[in-house]
Amino acid sequence: MRPKVFIARPIPFEVEAYIGEYCDYRKWDSTESIPVEQLMEEIRDVDGLLTSGTPINQALLDQAVNLKVVSNISVGYNNFNIEAMKAKGVMGTHTPDVLDETVADLVFALMLSAARRVPELDKLVKGGEWKAGSDTRLFGVDVHHKTAGIIGMGRIGQAIARRAKFGFSMEVLYYNRSRKPEAEEKLGVQYAGLEELLKKSDFVILMTPLTPQTERFIGREQFALMKRDAIFINASRGQTVDESALIEALQAGIIQAAGLDVFAQEPVNLDNSLLQMANVVTLPHIGSATAQTRADIAMMAAENLVKAVRGEIPPNLVPELKPY
Ligand code: DGY
């Protein structure tokens, strides 16, 4: 019998065709998230689920009695309840490596946009305010030769560091759970304690995965340590920051600006104060969203899914669910 899978996110046609070679499938094809009740119905009889961001909790695992694998179309997997998946013997996969350079590009887009006030000036030019270009109050700050402090020196952190160091002649400090001597040697980055990094960096770039240890990792105390003209960038997960502390820090001038690809609640609520601030650049969680990279990620996730439902060990099991 062919395995059954449910595709909970729109994916490119070729990726769907690849899944169709090996599996029977149903799919959700809207850019809106699938309603939970419908998802719960769809997963009743499936062997595999292709998704991103869907909370894989006890209720879902209890409902999906045949489930063998959840394949995330993302590198982050904070949507997985690892213990519950372990207990049920459900595999979980993600998509490492393939998006590193694309996310690092986006981080630089946020840094440059916030530093040079690109969205603000764009709006003014389109509104006929060309003279904004010579208004000294709208002048930005440099990125080159400044200090970047990267929190989380994984693969994406290293791709950011390479751009910072060799593209923009920046000093690069990093903070990570463990030191990365290879990155230090190859990229010339310097390990720093969190406090030192926060005090010295012009750009504080948060790239740590969301885990119980990193939830609200940056809060009031950490913003207070930053430079008054620091620019805070978050392209990890919204929950790694205490969002009210961030709003407070921006409103009180404790930091200068922010560039955010992620929010505590997504889609971000329209009454979130961050959306009202000219010194905050906001994006709708698009770190990996180039057509090419999203297609590559979807294919990688599909390969993980197909391998697992056919009884093989998929290549990109998340570390916590790897057999030892
Ligand atoms: C992921 O894949 O987890 C990231 O959020 C990329 O934007």
Side-chain angles (χ1 to χ4, degrees), residues 162-178:
R162 196 174 334 106
R163 283 162 177 71
K165 193 81 193 172
F166 304 123
F168 287 78
S169 307
M170 298 176 89
E171 275 310 308
V172 181
L173 303 177
Y174 79 97
Y175 174 77
N176 199 62
R177 257 185 323 175
S178 54

Side-chain angles (χ1 to χ4, degrees), residues 73-76 95 99 103 235-237 261 285-288 294 297:
I73 315 172
S74 65
V75 66
T95 58
L99 44 67
V103 178
S236 63
R237 288 292 181 268
D261 188 35
H285 201 149
I286 53 148
S288 63
R294 280 286 172 91
I297 295 171

Side-chain angles (χ1 to χ4, degrees), residues 63-85:
Q63 175 86 338
V65 286
N66 295 338
L67 196 65
K68 296 181 183 62
V69 63
V70 180
S71 173
N72 254 8
I73 315 172
S74 65
V75 66
Y77 53 93
N78 51 288
N79 57 318
F80 288 176
N81 179 334
I82 295 286
E83 289 315 312
M85 289 170 78

Side-chain angles (χ1 to χ4, degrees), residues 74-109:
S74 65
V75 66
Y77 53 93
N78 51 288
N79 57 318
F80 288 176
N81 179 334
I82 295 286
E83 289 315 312
M85 289 170 78
K86 255 190 204 161
K88 284 252 168 188
V90 172
M91 292 181 265
T93 62
H94 68 147
T95 58
D97 304 319
V98 61
L99 44 67
D100 299 348
E101 301 296 330
T102 300
V103 178
D105 281 353
L106 198 271
V107 166
F108 260 84

